Amino acid sequence: MLMGRSPFKIRYTEKRIDENSNKVLTKERIEVRFALEHRQYLPAKRPRNNQSYKPIMLKIQSFFNLITELRVSKHNIDKTYWIIEVTSLNKLNLLFNI
């Protein structure tokens, strides 16, 4: 179950044509993206108990057959997150065939 903000990003690009040359400047397209973002460490009451979420994020990344490194995003000064983004339609279908 996915909670919080929607992990799906949808972008629509309108077709644009140069009026003088009739050349296509941008193609019309719709892009769908699945983005999973999770903090890097389980918050702990004691610093030595910090556990990384990297192993589970790597398993999720493997499920989608992604070969890139896990991306990292930093929020504020002290919050760092792992990010997995899926854009391939074939890989996105894995979400719906579970």
Side-chain angles (χ1 to χ4, degrees), residues 18-19 46 62 64 83 85 93-94 97:
D18 184 287
E19 292 177 11
R46 291 184 285 259
S62 174
F64 288 109
I83 300 174
E85 280 195 325
N93 276 329
L94 293 171
N97 294 326

Side-chain angles (χ1 to χ4, degrees), residues 15-29:
K15 183 177 183 177
R16 293 185 334 162
I17 300 175
D18 184 287
E19 292 177 11
N20 297 326
S21 66
N22 223 19
K23 181 179 176 183
V24 175
L25 300 173
T26 57
K27 294 179 181 181
E28 181 178 38
R29 74 175 76 192

